[in-house]
Amino acid sequence: MTTLSQNAPTSKPRREETEDDDVRAKRRKMEEEKQRASEQVEMKKLENLLFGSLYNPVSFGEKEGHVEADDGSDLFRVDRSAVSQSLVSEDDDDEGVSDDERVIKKGGEAAWEDEEEKEININIAGVNRLRKLRKEEGEGLISGSEYIARLRAHHAKLNPGTDWARTDSQIIDRDSSDDEERDDDDDDVLKTNEDLVVKSGGSKLCSGVLEYSKHVDANIADPSNGPINSVQFHQNAQLLLTAGLDRRLRFFQIDGKRNTKIQSIYLEDCPIRKAAFLPNGSQVIVSGRRKFFYSFDLEHAKFDKIGPLVGREEKSLERFEVSQDSKTIAFMGNEGYILLVSTKTKELTGTLKMNGSVRSLAFSDDGKQLLSSGGDGQVYVWDLRTMKCLYKGVDEGSTCGTSLCSSPNGALFASGTDSGIVNIYKKAEFLGGKRKPIKTVDNLTSKIDFMKFNHDGQILAVISRMNKNSVKLVHVPSLTVFSNWPPPKSTMHYPRCLDFSPGSGFMAMGNAQGKVLLYKLNHYMNA
């Protein structure tokens, strides 16, 4: 009992001391946690101060405590305050400033300018690496400030950058500048010959390689027994005319698959040298080595024999051309005479006289003008309204002209010679006295017998009948020859004539074997 009474008082203080230690430990732990939390808060404040609000981004214009939308649509915002503030400050600064100065400021203002730049001159023509900065061929000395401006423009051209790295205002400025560049490009097009051959709304044909596909022969339903001298599409693009020395005039419906024969007409007294539709599609003019010619009325299926022409002694009317307005037929006569015949009355309405023999004709300017060439090596331009020669000039490198062809809009014409040379001229420049052709095509080595522009003037076909596969297609906008024409390992035999359908979808070519080869030009969608 005595022992228990002595030990009891001593155990109670020890328990109290243990409890005090636990409390102190908890307090110490709480203080450490508070200190650690305060340190994290200080770290976050420091990070926010240095790097922005990474943990609690606050949107401008919103009060603290604003609850964000649950869908997360407002979690990401673009800070445009700096841009808007700069624009406002610029607007404030621009008060009382002229429009020109305002444009300069908005374009960016240099922080420092070197006054000596305006005083020095730089010869950009004397250094090879600076010649690219010239705007004109003969340009030499420019000022220092202009030199720097051109360097910057050249750098911007080589390093356009990307849209995502630009501000909205820069993108808008660039879009407006692109529009201006497009306008400038339109002006530049006027300085080339492309506007002369490509109609508005049409697509530009690529140079180099011509995309095409070979179809069954156009006259597979009834091949000719002699050389083909004429092929021509009707204005409706489905009807094709073929004619040759077998004295038959044939008509085919062209679809690229069956090419059904519609009609065949036999002319007993006239091996056909040439046959052509009137551009309005109402008649077919047929001629041979005879004093007369035939007119076939398509609507009434009736042949009329016309000739000899009153007052003329020509024994052959085999070569002729028809005007674009379907009003006049021009025959090549004797001793340099050109015979003009009305398509309505079939009577002689007038004659034109060259100094040498006439070998080729081509109408231009919707039938108001006529081009002619021949034995004297000159090209004549006639005004059919006044019946006078507007101009005559030597065809460069020509001793005898053998073929002429005018582009559909009359801006260009091509002249072929007996030596295989083809010169392409701008008619306006030729009439102005400039006799230098814009292009000389010398890919053929024998006499040029036939030439033809397609409907939009982007292709010029050139044929020489003397050699096999002797046909070239010229890409007129670039003035280059298609490298894959004639096709390799082709069997064109001796080509003699060619025509494009009204939409240039088809190209038909007659040869000396009596076949009419048919090709589809893939660039053109319509036949």
Side-chain angles (χ1 to χ4, degrees):
M1 291 292 292
T2 307
T3 304
L4 291 174
S5 62
Q6 291 178 349
N7 294 336
T10 59
S11 62
K12 185 174 181 181
R14 290 178 181 176
R15 226 177 3 253
E16 292 178 353
E17 291 178 359
T18 304
E19 290 178 357
D20 292 341
D21 293 339
D22 293 340
V23 171
R24 286 196 293 269
K26 289 181 180 179
R27 288 180 181 175
R28 193 181 303 111
K29 187 176 181 180
M30 291 178 62
E31 290 177 355
E32 290 177 354
E33 290 179 355
K34 288 182 181 181
Q35 185 177 1
R36 195 181 298 113
S38 63
E39 289 178 356
Q40 290 180 356
V41 172
E42 291 297 329
M43 289 293 295
K44 289 181 181 180
K45 289 182 179 181
L46 181 60
E47 289 174 352
N48 291 338
L49 179 63
L50 294 176
F51 307 109
S53 298
L54 298 177
Y55 300 96
N56 296 314
V58 179
S59 300
F60 289 100
E62 295 183 0
K63 296 181 180 179
E64 295 184 358
H66 174 72
V67 180
E68 300 289 347
D70 294 336
D71 58 358
S73 60
D74 294 334
L75 291 179
F76 300 97
R77 296 179 179 273
V78 178
D79 183 7
R80 304 185 185 273
S81 60
V83 177
S84 60
Q85 289 174 3
S86 62
L87 292 178
V88 170
S89 62
E90 287 181 359
D91 293 339
D92 295 338
D93 295 339
D94 285 349
E95 292 182 1
V97 180
S98 63
D99 294 337
D100 294 338
E101 294 178 350
R102 185 177 294 110
V103 171
I104 294 174
K105 285 186 177 182
K106 288 183 179 180
E109 193 176 60
W112 174 78
E113 293 183 0
D114 189 353
E115 296 295 335
E116 294 182 358
E117 292 177 357
K118 302 177 181 179
E119 299 177 0
I120 63 173
N121 292 323
I122 300 174
N123 186 3
I124 59 176
V127 183
N128 290 335
R129 61 187 178 86
L130 298 183
R131 290 179 181 176
K132 59 181 174 287
L133 301 178
R134 293 181 299 176
K135 294 182 178 180
E136 297 179 359
E137 185 176 358
E139 191 174 21
L141 291 175
I142 61 174
S143 64
S145 57
E146 177 66 18
Y147 171 71
I148 292 177
R150 294 191 186 185
L151 280 178
R152 288 175 176 170
H154 186 69
H155 175 77
K157 182 179 179 181
L158 296 179
N159 304 278
T162 53
D163 289 341
W164 59 267
R166 294 185 177 92
T167 61
D168 293 344
S169 60
Q170 288 176 332
I171 295 175
I172 295 173
D173 292 341
R174 192 198 63 170
D175 293 340
S176 61
S177 64
D178 288 345
D179 295 338
E180 294 176 357
E181 289 178 0
R182 293 190 196 101
D183 296 338
D184 294 340
D185 291 341
D186 294 340
D187 294 338
D188 292 339
V189 168
L190 300 177
K191 299 177 183 178
T192 67
N193 65 312
E194 292 190 11
D195 63 307
L196 302 176
V197 296
V198 182
K199 294 184 178 180
S200 59
S203 57
K204 292 185 179 181
L205 178 67
C206 296
S207 60
V209 177
L210 179 66
E211 296 183 2
Y212 67 91
S213 56
K214 178 72 169 64
H215 286 237
V216 298
D217 293 348
N219 65 342
I220 191 171
D222 187 11
S224 175
N225 295 324
I228 300 292
N229 287 329
S230 292
V231 294
Q232 188 179 7
F233 283 91
H234 191 267
Q235 62 179 2
N236 67 9
Q238 294 182 342
L239 184 65
L240 177 70
L241 168 157
T242 69
L245 295 180
D246 65 349
R247 309 184 186 213
R248 288 190 178 274
L249 180 67
R250 296 176 174 87
F251 298 95
F252 297 89
Q253 183 177 356
I254 302 301
D255 57 9
K257 298 179 181 179
R258 299 180 58 187
N259 301 331
T260 307
K261 184 180 77 171
I262 297 176
Q263 190 174 9
S264 176
I265 303 170
Y266 181 73
L267 299 178
E268 185 176 357
D269 58 349
C270 185
I272 301 174
R273 295 282 177 171
K274 183 167 184 176
F277 287 110
L278 292 187
N280 60 18
S282 61
Q283 301 177 37
V284 177
I285 305 300
V286 182
S287 69
R289 198 162 289 176
R290 299 290 188 270
K291 296 180 180 181
F292 54 84
F293 65 95
Y294 284 98
S295 173
F296 179 63
D297 190 325
L298 292 175
E299 184 177 355
H300 300 94
K302 177 184 176 183
F303 261 105
D304 291 327
K305 186 176 181 179
I306 298 101
L309 298 176
V310 178
R312 302 302 306 175
E313 298 179 355
E314 278 77 12
K315 295 182 179 180
S316 174
L317 298 175
E318 60 184 279
R319 294 177 296 177
F320 68 89
E321 294 294 333
V322 182
S323 63
Q324 293 92 333
D325 58 5
S326 302
K327 295 181 179 179
T328 306
I329 309 170
F331 289 94
M332 302 182 201
N334 298 334
E335 301 176 352
Y337 277 96
I338 303 170
L339 314 179
L340 303 179
V341 176
S342 170
T343 59
K344 186 175 182 180
T345 63
K346 306 300 188 297
E347 295 180 355
L348 186 68
T349 59
T351 60
L352 305 172
K353 178 68 170 67
M354 290 174 51
N355 293 334
S357 60
V358 55
R359 301 288 183 87
S360 59
L361 298 172
F363 280 93
S364 180
D365 197 20
D366 295 330
K368 298 181 179 65
Q369 293 181 358
L370 178 68
L371 307 177
S372 66
S373 67
D376 60 355
Q378 293 187 322
V379 177
Y380 295 72
V381 182
W382 305 90
D383 188 343
L384 298 183
R385 292 168 292 187
T386 61
M387 300 297 288
K388 293 182 179 180
C389 181
L390 292 176
Y391 182 79
K392 69 175 180 178
V394 176
D395 185 12
E396 187 178 80
S398 171
T399 57
C400 180
T402 58
S403 182
L404 280 173
C405 182
S406 178
S407 63
N409 60 4
L412 301 177
F413 75 88
S415 175
T417 67
D418 58 353
S419 61
I421 299 296
V422 176
N423 290 324
I424 302 175
Y425 294 91
K426 290 184 180 181
K427 191 177 72 173
E429 292 183 356
F430 186 80
L431 290 175
K434 183 180 178 181
R435 302 177 183 179
K436 187 75 174 177
I438 60 175
K439 179 65 177 179
T440 297
V441 181
D442 54 2
N443 297 76
L444 300 178
T445 57
S446 54
K447 183 183 74 169
I448 305 301
D449 296 290
F450 183 89
M451 294 190 298
K452 177 77 175 182
F453 281 97
N454 75 323
H455 83 287
D456 61 1
Q458 295 194 74
I459 302 176
L460 171 64
V462 182
I463 288 178
S464 176
R465 297 175 177 175
M466 301 296 293
N467 300 318
K468 284 187 176 181
N469 301 326
S470 188
V471 55
K472 291 293 182 180
L473 298 181
V474 180
H475 181 256
V476 180
S478 66
L479 298 174
T480 57
V481 176
F482 287 105
S483 60
N484 63 331
W485 195 272
K489 300 180 181 180
S490 59
T491 55
M492 293 182 177
H493 202 253
Y494 292 90
R496 296 183 63 83
C497 52
L498 181 147
D499 192 34
F500 299 93
S501 60
S504 298
F506 286 115
M507 181 179 69
M509 182 174 60
N511 62 21
Q513 283 185 323
K515 296 181 179 180
V516 179
L517 309 180
L518 185 65
Y519 300 89
K520 176 70 174 68
L521 304 185
N522 299 333
H523 172 77
Y524 297 99
M525 302 301 296
N526 300 322

